[in-house]
Amino acid sequence: MFIKSLIIESKEGLIRRLDFHQGLNLIVDETPDTNTETGNNVGKTTILRLIDICLGKEPRTIYTSPEDRRVINEEVKTFLTEKEVVITLILVSDWTTTAPKVHIRRNFLSGKNTIQEINGENYSNENEFKKALQYAIMGVETDKPTFRQLVAHNVRYTNAAVNHTLHWLEGTNSDAVYETLHLYMLGLNYTDAEVRQQSLQKLKTEVNFRKKLVKEKSRNALASELGIVKSEIKELEHIKKQMHLNPDFDNDMAELSDLKYKITALSSQLSSLKLRHAIMEEAKEEILSNKSNIDADTLKMVYNQAKRFVPTLHHTFEDLLKHHNSMLVKKADFIASELPELKKKIEALDSEIRTLHASEKTLSDKLLQSSYYTDYESLIADLTQKHERLGGLKQQIDQIDNVEERIDSLNKQIASIDKSLFSDEFKQKVQAQLDKLNNYLAKISQLLYAEQYGMVYETETKNRNEIYKFNIERFDADTINFSSGKKQGEIVCFDMAYILFADKEHIPCLHFGLYDKKELVHGNQLLGTAKFVEEYHNLQFIASILSDKLPEELKDDRYIVVKLSQNDKLFRF
């Protein structure tokens, strides 16, 4: 698939349409030759990000900082959401007019307003959208590696993708993830890839857990301590039996414990009853304090005057006052009716507790007279402590044994898969595929840089399991130049070589490469790259670059897709 067009629209209409072509496509700035303006921050890298969003990247990354996702460009976010901006990416299988196309549309709204559409069908679930995307573009669906892992080397603008030829994924990724990814890209996908990758990840987790468990003491040390604690408990139990010369001693101890429990329980109950009694007494006094003691004689004149205006009054003020006070007394009497019963319960409990205290004292005195009492209490405390330690040691040992069982099970599962994966036969297949890829890679790197690069592998043992690790090496030199520009060239050489290799091996792939920061590459290499991709119809090279770093030979409209400036930025706001 090649990129045909990128269309940016809002609810107000078309913002910008970019049409791409085969071969070299440049995204440049159109900056006046002054000291006041630069070609930065005009939207060149944003074009690459928008394409990546249409290929399944999270839309919010367009307005968040790559270094810290919590930092948001509110101006861009507001524009994209309030203007209801929609991005359309059109891919084509070849450059003929009748070539099949894939239309992908995405926006920056959330919830039911989200657009993630492929050929007119909208997908509410993001994972389903990515799977459908892979099938529409590549004709296959894979869980491991994921579609996003596969296309990440085609869209190189993140720090990881710009600076690493083979380890282009963002974030921290295990060797197992890259092993699965690179083997798949070589056409050596194996049916148990996902199982093996998951097992290796679980194994890593279990091994780290085991390290924490044995950090202070090994299993053998814990087992030795367990034996010592068991011997100490046995000895203490023997001493306990020897102390029981009085046959009633254990019964007395049990009875004393039971008495203490009863006293505690009854004391709690007594406290609750006393609290309730006090509350009810306060309520009774409060009600009675509201009795009206107004002087009836003083108000008689007021009442007589009122009667002149209302002759139908039948009750005297004294009657009303008496009725009011009578009602309060009845209310207080009702509340107080429970007080005698509460008082009886309190007195009964108080008496029972005093009796229990007396029994407790008698029994305590009896036990204190025994020469074993103090020693017995100390012995029981020691036994309790030893049993707690015994339980803790058993738990630690069980945890170690369980994690060892899980590690052993995972190792067996991985070993079963690895029996064929790391056989001499499979390793020969790996090398054979690398030879095919390196045939393209060495030729391209020799053409562009007069150096020969190649992809190599080695197997490494981790946690008793082998794993494939791939790297890029320079074959014709004793030292490797690690300059930024050289690394950029190495990446381009690999990406182009891989497309040619994948086509030859009928491995699904994208036929374009998107690159940021191409100003780091020397002009001669840019010219060589442009010439190379122009000669191969199945390569599309798309790069953003500062115009002042662009060789004069490439400042040609047939190579340039768009020119941006401080006065005409990508979103035109």
Side-chain angles (χ1 to χ4, degrees), residues 375-534:
D375 293 339
Y376 187 83
E377 278 197 328
S378 176
L379 181 96
I380 294 300
D382 286 345
L383 270 173
T384 301
Q385 185 182 19
K386 296 298 181 185
H387 277 291
E388 288 176 354
R389 183 56 185 155
L390 182 73
L393 289 169
K394 284 183 176 180
Q395 185 179 18
Q396 284 180 275
I397 292 172
D398 285 345
Q399 281 184 316
I400 294 173
D401 288 343
N402 289 335
V403 77
E404 289 288 1
E405 287 180 11
R406 293 194 294 270
I407 289 173
D408 185 59
S409 176
L410 287 167
N411 276 324
K412 287 179 180 178
Q413 186 180 37
I414 295 166
S416 177
I417 299 172
D418 289 356
K419 188 175 182 179
S420 60
L421 183 62
F422 290 91
S423 64
D424 290 341
E425 182 183 358
F426 192 85
K427 289 179 181 179
Q428 289 173 5
K429 290 181 180 179
V430 173
Q431 189 58 56
Q433 293 301 93
L434 286 177
D435 290 343
K436 295 175 185 177
L437 172 60
N438 288 337
N439 183 48
Y440 294 104
L441 181 53
K443 287 181 180 178
I444 296 173
S445 57
Q446 179 69 43
L447 176 66
L448 298 183
Y449 291 95
E451 299 172 352
Q452 289 189 339
Y453 304 144
M455 185 174 178
V456 300
Y457 87 91
E458 60 182 9
T459 59
E460 186 176 295
T461 301
K462 284 192 172 183
N463 299 322
R464 297 189 295 172
N465 295 292
E466 279 192 286
I467 195 162
Y468 285 100
K469 298 187 73 172
F470 295 87
N471 290 290
I472 299 293
E473 285 192 6
R474 181 179 168 188
F475 293 141
D476 58 346
D478 295 329
T479 59
I480 298 177
N481 188 338
F482 287 100
S483 70
S484 298
K486 190 59 69 70
K487 174 58 70 173
Q488 295 284 307
E490 176 186 296
I491 289 171
V492 171
C493 289
F494 169 79
D495 289 345
M496 290 191 296
Y498 178 74
I499 293 173
L500 299 179
F501 161 78
D503 277 352
K504 184 70 174 178
E505 295 296 305
H506 305 291
I507 300 170
C509 72
L510 299 178
H511 290 78
F512 58 82
L514 277 66
Y515 302 94
D516 196 17
K517 302 179 181 177
K518 285 298 109 178
E519 55 268 10
L520 297 175
V521 179
H522 192 277
N524 290 336
Q525 277 69 50
L526 281 175
L527 287 170
T529 301
K531 182 178 179 182
F532 184 83
V533 297
E534 287 295 318

Side-chain angles (χ1 to χ4, degrees), residues 332-391:
D333 288 344
F334 176 76
I335 292 174
S337 64
E338 193 180 341
L339 289 174
E341 185 63 28
L342 276 175
K343 190 174 182 181
K344 286 181 182 180
K345 288 181 180 180
I346 290 171
E347 289 173 350
L349 276 176
D350 199 28
S351 175
E352 186 177 357
I353 290 171
R354 284 198 300 271
T355 302
L356 290 174
H357 272 305
S359 299
E360 179 192 22
K361 186 176 185 310
T362 301
L363 197 55
S364 295
D365 290 344
K366 178 182 176 183
L367 287 168
L368 285 171
Q369 290 173 4
S370 169
S371 60
Y372 304 111
Y373 180 73
T374 304
D375 293 339
Y376 187 83
E377 278 197 328
S378 176
L379 181 96
I380 294 300
D382 286 345
L383 270 173
T384 301
Q385 185 182 19
K386 296 298 181 185
H387 277 291
E388 288 176 354
R389 183 56 185 155
L390 182 73

Side-chain angles (χ1 to χ4, degrees), residues 5 13 66 74 84 98 129 139 157 160 219 248 315 340 353 369 391 422 426 450 472 484:
S5 301
E74 295 293 347
E84 298 179 15
T98 58
F129 170 70
Y157 63 89
R219 189 197 184 284
D248 295 329
H315 294 283
I353 290 171
Q369 290 173 4
F422 290 91
F426 192 85
I472 299 293
S484 298

Side-chain angles (χ1 to χ4, degrees), residues 45-59:
T45 303
T46 302
I47 292 174
L48 308 186
R49 289 180 176 175
L50 291 175
I51 293 172
D52 202 18
I53 286 171
C54 289
L55 294 174
K57 184 83 169 181
E58 188 180 359

